[in-house]
C-alpha cells in the first residue's frame, strides 16, 4: 500500500515545498485547512504521516487525537512551528518531529529521512483494547452523564452516549474496570465528538498510582486475550511417524 501523508496547512508556499519533498520519498498527500478536518480524515483514512501547522487553531487537539489512534494506524506527526509556538507543547501533544518556519527543502528532507523508517514500519500490535463498562462524565456543574466505553488505552478512551454530549473541552471521568474494585477517577480532554453521541477523550490528570493501576490492568487483560497455540495430539504425531517409516 502506498504511503500517504495528511497536511494541515494553509500556506501555499509551504504546501508546495512539502509536496515536493514528500514526492521524492514516494509519499502521497492529502490536504486540509482545519483541525476538525484533520481529525475526521485521520479517523477515516490510513495516513503514515501527519504534518500540522501549529499556528492554526486546534493543532494541539489534532496531534493529541492522532496519538490516541491504534498503533498500527498511528501516523508519525510533524509539527510546523512558528516564532510563537513552543516545542515543549508540541512534543507533549504527541508530535514526533519539529519543522521550523519558514520551511526549507534541506530541513524538511532531513526530517522526513530521519522519520522514514518509522513511517514505513508495520505497526500491527495495538495497545488499545475494546472494553465495555459504564463511564460517568461530569461536564462542569451538570449531573454526571452515563456513557458506554468503547475502547481504552493508557492515554485515553472513546465512549458512546445516548445523545450528543455538551460542548466542553475538559471533563471529569469516573469508571470501574471489569473485574476490578478500584474505580478510575481523573480528568480528560474531549478531543473529538460527533452528533451520534460518540466522543474521544485524552487523559490529562490521572494520579500516578491510578496510571500504574490502569497500565497493569491493560497488560493483564492483553495477556489473557492472547490465543493459546494449538498442540497436536500425541496420537496424531505417532500416526505421522508410522506413515513416514
Amino acid at each position: 500500500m502506498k504511503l500517504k501523508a495528511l497536511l494541515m496547512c494553509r500556506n501555499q508556499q509551504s504546501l508546495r515545498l512539502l509536496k515536493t519533498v514528500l514526492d521524492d520519498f514516494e509519499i502521497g498527500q492529502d490536504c486540509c485547512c482545519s483541525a476538525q478536518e484533520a481529525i475526521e480524515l485521520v479517523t477515516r483514512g490510513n495516513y503514515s504521516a501527519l504534518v500540522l501547522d501549529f499556528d492554526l487553531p486546534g493543532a494541539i487537539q489534532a496531534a493529541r487525537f492522532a496519538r490516541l489512534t491504534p498503533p498500527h494506524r498511528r501516523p508519525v506527526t510533524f509539527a510546523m512551528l512558528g516564532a510563537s509556538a513552543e516545542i515543549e507543547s508540541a512534543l507533549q501533544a504527541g508530535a514526533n518531529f519539529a519543522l521550523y518556519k519558514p520551511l526549507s527543502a534541506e530541513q524538511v528532507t532531513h526530517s522526513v529521512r530521519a522519520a522514514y523508517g518509522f513511517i514505513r514500519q508495520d505497526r500491527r500490535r495495538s495497545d488499545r483494547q475494546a472494553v465495555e463498562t459504564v463511564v460517568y462524565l461530569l461536564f462542569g456543574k451538570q449531573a454526571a452523564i452515563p456513557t458506554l466505553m468503547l475502547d481504552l488505552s493508557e492515554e485515553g478512551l472513546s465512549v458512546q452516549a445516548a445523545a450528543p454530549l455538551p460542548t466542553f473541552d475538559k471533563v471529569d471521568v469516573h469508571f470501574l474496570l471489569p473485574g476490578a474494585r478500584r474505580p478510575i477517577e481523573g480528568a480528560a480532554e474531549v478531543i473529538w465528538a460527533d452528533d451520534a453521541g460518540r466522543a474521544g477523550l485524552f487523559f490529562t490528570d490521572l494520579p500516578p498510582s491510578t496510571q500504574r493501576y490502569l497500565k497493569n490492568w491493560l497488560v493483564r487483560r492483553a495477556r489473557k486475550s492472547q490465543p493459546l497455540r494449538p498442540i497436536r495430539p500425541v496420537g496424531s504425531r505417532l500416526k505421522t511417524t508410522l506413515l513416514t517409516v
Side-chain angles (χ1 to χ4, degrees):
M1 181 172 59
K2 184 177 180 180
L3 301 175
K4 184 180 287 188
L6 176 62
L7 316 178
M8 189 187 90
C9 178
R10 297 176 184 173
N11 184 283
Q12 293 302 313
Q13 183 176 353
S14 296
L15 283 173
R16 286 194 295 269
L17 191 152
L18 288 167
K19 289 181 177 181
T20 298
V21 173
L22 292 171
D23 283 342
D24 290 340
F25 286 89
E26 298 184 344
I27 300 175
Q29 311 99 34
D30 287 338
C31 299
C32 64
C33 297
S34 70
Q36 185 62 40
E37 287 180 275
I39 288 172
E40 292 176 358
L41 288 169
V42 168
T43 302
R44 298 197 302 264
N46 188 10
Y47 294 100
S48 302
L50 175 64
V51 182
L52 300 171
D53 186 341
F54 267 62
D55 284 338
L56 295 181
I60 287 180
Q61 285 74 21
R64 286 177 173 170
F65 175 80
R67 191 167 67 175
L68 285 174
T69 57
H72 69 285
R73 294 184 56 244
R74 187 176 303 159
V76 175
T77 300
F78 297 82
M80 293 172 54
L81 303 176
S84 61
E86 296 182 356
I87 180 63
E88 292 82 5
S89 298
L91 294 176
Q92 290 176 2
N96 306 109
F97 295 88
L99 299 173
Y100 294 96
K101 297 190 289 186
L103 302 184
S104 69
E106 181 180 3
Q107 178 197 187
V108 176
T109 299
H110 177 78
S111 296
V112 174
R113 182 178 293 115
Y116 195 64
F118 299 100
I119 293 174
R120 288 194 59 188
Q121 72 179 356
D122 185 7
R123 293 160 287 177
R124 295 183 180 179
R125 297 192 62 184
S126 173
D127 57 1
R128 196 176 184 115
Q129 302 183 29
V131 180
E132 289 191 4
T133 189
V134 178
V135 181
Y136 292 94
L137 307 180
L138 182 60
F139 292 84
K141 296 182 179 180
Q142 301 184 26
I145 299 175
T147 64
L148 175 66
M149 181 186 294
L150 302 177
D151 53 46
L152 174 70
S153 73
E154 293 179 46
E155 297 177 333
L157 69 160
S158 63
V159 298
Q160 172 71 66
L165 294 169
T167 53
F168 278 82
D169 291 333
K170 299 294 177 77
V171 59
D172 290 328
V173 298
H174 176 103
F175 59 91
L176 190 65
L177 295 165
R181 296 182 179 180
R182 173 181 173 178
I184 301 293
E185 296 178 315
E189 183 174 353
V190 180
I191 302 300
W192 63 271
D194 63 21
D195 294 336
R198 293 185 297 266
L201 296 89
F202 176 81
F203 293 129
T204 57
D205 186 13
L206 287 182
S209 60
T210 301
Q211 293 177 20
R212 292 192 295 270
Y213 182 77
L214 175 59
K215 179 178 180 179
N216 292 335
W217 186 90
L218 288 167
V219 169
R220 290 195 302 270
R221 183 182 176 93
R223 288 173 179 169
K224 289 180 180 179
S225 64
Q226 291 178 354
L228 297 175
R229 295 179 60 184
I231 300 176
R232 183 182 295 178
V234 174
S236 174
R237 292 199 298 269
L238 289 175
K239 288 181 181 179
T240 301
T241 303
L242 291 173
L243 287 172
T244 55
V245 171

